[in-house]
């Protein structure tokens, strides 16, 4: 795979992937599920005062709150079910008496259940089913399921919701996908990164589908495309191609030419292109040994800005933005103080930065390099004269190239 872009680097995991991480704890469905096992406001749903049926009327509000807090001291459903089961006496039906004339329409119960609660003084009090449900804030179906499972199995009801959760197997597959993606190399974008901060770019001839097919061939393992795509989007901040800005015309010419060639001609042109790239790297290595000032007229904005035709053709005032960047060499760290921005209106005096360069900035360097891009406003005699004026006035012994 040929790649003649910027310096390549290994793909790394990122804290924030290309897509936002899922937050299942904030889903409304999961929030409602948790709320079901956190309890509610306990009440007494009846006014019975029968010693052999229900004695809930003699319970105070503090006692009812204590009874409720015992159940919801944990949010684990299995433990809550075991606590409810300890307050229930479950027996099979001993005698059946017909309540309707048509026996086919009569509903038959399999269980007889008595409900009790324990106060803070460990006093056991019998209550009716409605009061039991209102004090513990549970529904009748939950109590029926607990009782039926106890009669059939003789043990508290375990967690039966959901299917097989092969979490370890899935985690191993996702880790294998991450290792496969990290074997690739990517490039960082120097320009056009404000819309996607931290985004790195894989070669343009790749895509997620090709990467998934390559993974399946190499690992002899069938993993769905959706699983692979999920890891790629949520664990990595990667794109494809490279947003090129201010690229060299010669480099683009070489790249287009290589697509049309094959065999020995392609190898020869590739070698010439690599040689050109190496010369460019040596040039920047040499720049790192000198004191460099990079300057550029960044933007000229017309004022006022309006879509009205009369204003568009009559405006004459420009807002100028000029940037200067200092580079002290590879051994020095870049600071925010090395970046300077100047803004002025066209009717104001121009700014000059070279007069602010101190002798201490140049004492350890032999050369002063002034660098700008290929812009027409910097190719005139006024700019050249302004550049050489400090050399004549201040830096007489300094060699400027």
């Amino acid at each position: 795979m040929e790649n003649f872009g910027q310096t390549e680097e290994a793909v790394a995991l990122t804290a924030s992937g290309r897509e936002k991480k899922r937050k299942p704890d904030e889903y409304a469905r999961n929030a409602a599920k948790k709320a079901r096992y956190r309890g509610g406001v306990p009440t007494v749903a009846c006014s019975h005062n029968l010693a052999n049926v229900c004695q809930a009327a003699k319970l105070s509000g503090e006692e009812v709150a204590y009874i409720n807090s015992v159940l919801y001291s944990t949010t684990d459903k299995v433990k809550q079910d075991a606590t409810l089961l300890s307050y229930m006496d479950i027996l099979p039906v001993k005698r059946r008496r017909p309540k309707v004339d048509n026996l086919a329409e009569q509903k038959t119960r399999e269980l007889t259940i008595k409900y009790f609660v324990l106060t803070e003084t460990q006093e056991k009090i019998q209550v009716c089913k409605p009061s039991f449900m209102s004090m513990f804030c549970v529904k009748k179906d939950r109590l029926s399921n607990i009782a039926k499972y106890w009669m059939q199995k003789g043990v508290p009801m375990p967690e039966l919701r959901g299917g097989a959760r092969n979490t370890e197997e899935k985690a191993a597959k996702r880790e294998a996908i991450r290792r496969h993606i990290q074997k690739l190399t990517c490039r960082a974008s120097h320009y056009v990164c404000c819309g996607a901060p931290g985004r790195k770019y894989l070669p343009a001839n790749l895509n997620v589908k090709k990467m998934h097919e390559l993974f399946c061939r190499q690992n002899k393992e069938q993993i769905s495309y959706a699983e692979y795509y999920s890891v790629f989007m949520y664990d990595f901040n990667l794109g494809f191609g490279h947003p090129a800005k201010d690229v060299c015309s010669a480099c683009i010419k070489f790249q287009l030419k290589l697509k049309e060639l094959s065999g020995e001609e392609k190898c020869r042109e590739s070698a010439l292109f690599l040689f050109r790239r190496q010369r460019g790297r040596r040039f920047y290595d040499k720049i790192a040994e000198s004191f460099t000032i990079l300057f550029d007229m960044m933007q000229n904005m017309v004022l006022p800005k309006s879509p009205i035709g009369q204003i568009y053709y009559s405006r004459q005032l420009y807002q100028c933005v000029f940037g200067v960047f200092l580079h002290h060499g590879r051994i020095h760290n870049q600071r925010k103080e090395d970046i300077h921005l100047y803004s002025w209106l066209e009717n104001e005096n121009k700014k000059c930065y070279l007069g602010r360069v101190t002798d201490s900035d140049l004492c350890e360097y032999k050369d002063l390099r002034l660098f700008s891009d290929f812009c027409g406003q910097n190719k005139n005699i006024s700019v050249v004269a302004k550049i050489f004026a400090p050399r004549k006035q201040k830096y007489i012994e300094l060699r400027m190239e």
Side-chain angles (χ1 to χ4, degrees):
M1 185 182 300
E2 296 168 345
N3 195 342
F4 300 110
Q6 281 91 344
T7 304
E8 295 183 353
E9 55 186 274
V11 174
L13 287 169
T14 56
S16 58
R18 190 170 180 175
E19 296 288 344
K20 292 182 179 180
K21 294 281 186 180
R22 296 188 180 95
K23 297 180 180 180
D25 293 338
E26 299 180 3
Y27 293 169
R29 180 181 61 183
N30 293 340
K33 185 188 297 183
K34 290 182 179 180
R36 287 198 294 268
Y37 305 112
R38 290 178 180 172
V41 179
T43 58
V44 176
C46 71
S47 58
H48 298 151
N49 194 12
L50 303 174
N52 60 343
V53 177
C54 179
Q55 305 177 33
K58 72 176 187 178
L59 293 173
S60 64
E62 292 78 7
E63 290 176 327
V64 172
Y66 169 77
I67 293 170
N68 179 272
S69 65
V70 173
L71 178 65
Y72 293 104
S73 59
T74 176
T75 57
D76 189 343
K77 179 183 179 299
V78 177
K79 294 181 180 179
Q80 289 183 1
D81 289 348
T83 302
L84 292 173
L85 185 62
S86 66
Y87 296 151
M88 300 162 59
D89 284 351
I90 306 171
L91 300 171
V93 175
K94 295 182 179 180
R95 183 174 59 178
R96 299 183 184 278
R97 290 178 293 182
K99 296 182 179 180
V100 294
D101 297 334
N102 188 359
L103 296 179
E105 297 178 357
Q106 180 175 341
K107 296 181 180 180
T108 58
R109 294 187 304 170
E110 299 178 357
L111 304 174
T112 299
I113 306 175
K114 294 182 179 181
Y115 300 94
F116 300 87
V117 293
L118 287 177
T119 63
E120 195 170 1
T121 58
Q122 300 301 308
E123 180 184 358
K124 190 175 182 180
I125 298 176
Q126 184 176 358
V127 296
C128 62
K129 185 175 182 179
S131 292
F132 188 86
M133 293 166 51
S134 63
M135 282 190 284
F136 287 113
C137 303
V138 296
K139 296 182 179 181
K140 62 178 182 179
D141 291 341
R142 184 176 179 183
L143 298 178
S144 300
N145 292 335
I146 295 172
K148 288 179 181 179
Y149 194 90
W150 170 261
M151 287 298 296
Q152 294 173 0
K153 305 292 184 181
V155 293
M157 185 176 181
E159 179 62 83
L160 300 177
R161 295 173 298 179
R165 296 182 176 92
N166 302 322
T167 54
E168 295 183 359
E169 182 180 352
K170 289 183 178 180
K173 290 182 178 180
R174 294 180 71 88
E175 185 60 30
I177 296 173
R178 294 188 189 100
R179 289 196 300 268
H180 176 259
I181 297 176
Q182 287 179 294
K183 291 179 181 179
L184 303 174
T185 57
C186 61
R187 295 177 295 171
S189 172
H190 184 66
Y191 298 97
V192 195
C193 58
C194 59
R199 179 74 53 83
K200 302 295 178 66
Y201 293 88
L202 296 171
N205 56 352
L206 275 180
N207 55 46
V208 181
K209 183 178 179 181
K210 291 181 180 179
M211 294 168 62
H212 172 249
E213 293 174 353
L214 181 62
F215 173 82
C216 294
R217 288 198 302 267
Q218 291 179 350
N219 293 270
K220 308 297 183 182
E221 188 175 4
Q222 292 300 322
I223 290 182
S224 66
Y225 173 79
E227 184 75 15
Y228 192 96
Y229 182 81
S230 174
V231 175
F232 180 84
M233 296 298 290
Y234 290 102
D235 294 345
F236 297 91
N237 191 6
L238 295 173
F240 297 97
H242 191 60
K245 291 289 183 180
D246 293 342
V247 295
C248 175
S249 59
C251 295
I252 296 298
K253 180 181 177 181
F254 267 108
Q255 292 178 4
L256 294 176
K257 191 174 182 179
L258 287 173
K259 294 180 180 179
E260 302 174 355
L261 299 177
S262 61
E264 296 182 358
E265 294 181 354
K266 187 173 183 179
C267 294
R268 182 170 60 254
E269 291 295 333
S270 300
L272 292 175
F273 188 31
L274 290 174
F275 177 71
R276 174 181 173 81
R277 299 287 297 177
Q278 291 173 0
R279 288 182 60 190
R281 293 190 181 96
R282 285 199 298 269
F283 168 74
Y284 283 103
D285 290 340
K286 187 176 180 181
I287 287 180
E289 300 172 357
S290 61
F291 183 66
T292 304
I293 299 177
L294 170 65
F295 62 96
D296 183 30
M297 182 64 71
M298 300 176 62
Q299 186 66 265
N300 291 329
M301 298 177 290
V302 184
L303 298 177
K305 186 175 182 179
S306 174
I308 300 176
Q310 292 84 348
I311 297 178
Y312 180 85
Y313 289 105
S314 63
R315 56 187 176 184
Q316 299 291 331
L317 191 63
Y318 278 81
Q319 173 80 22
C320 304
V321 181
F322 184 73
V324 182
F325 177 78
L326 272 66
H327 181 60
H328 295 271
R330 188 174 298 171
I331 61 175
H332 296 276
N333 295 326
Q334 298 299 142
R335 306 167 301 171
K336 64 178 182 180
E337 291 80 6
D338 296 331
I339 302 174
H340 305 271
L341 294 176
Y342 298 95
S343 176
W344 68 92
L345 294 175
E346 190 179 17
N347 63 328
E348 297 177 353
N349 294 331
K350 306 299 186 293
K351 303 295 189 294
C352 179
Y353 176 79
L354 294 177
R356 296 183 56 187
V357 179
T358 61
D359 295 333
S360 60
D361 293 328
L362 300 171
C363 62
E364 57 179 315
Y365 301 100
K366 297 180 180 180
D367 298 337
L368 171 63
R369 293 185 179 273
L370 305 175
F371 183 81
S372 184
D373 60 359
F374 190 75
C375 295
Q377 69 268 25
N378 297 324
K379 296 172 59 180
N380 53 61
I381 190 63
S382 301
V383 174
V384 175
K386 194 65 177 178
I387 288 174
F388 279 92
R391 181 178 183 275
K392 182 177 180 181
Q393 299 170 4
K394 191 173 182 180
Y395 311 114
I396 301 175
E397 298 180 357
L398 185 66
R399 182 166 61 94
M400 300 177 68
E401 296 181 357

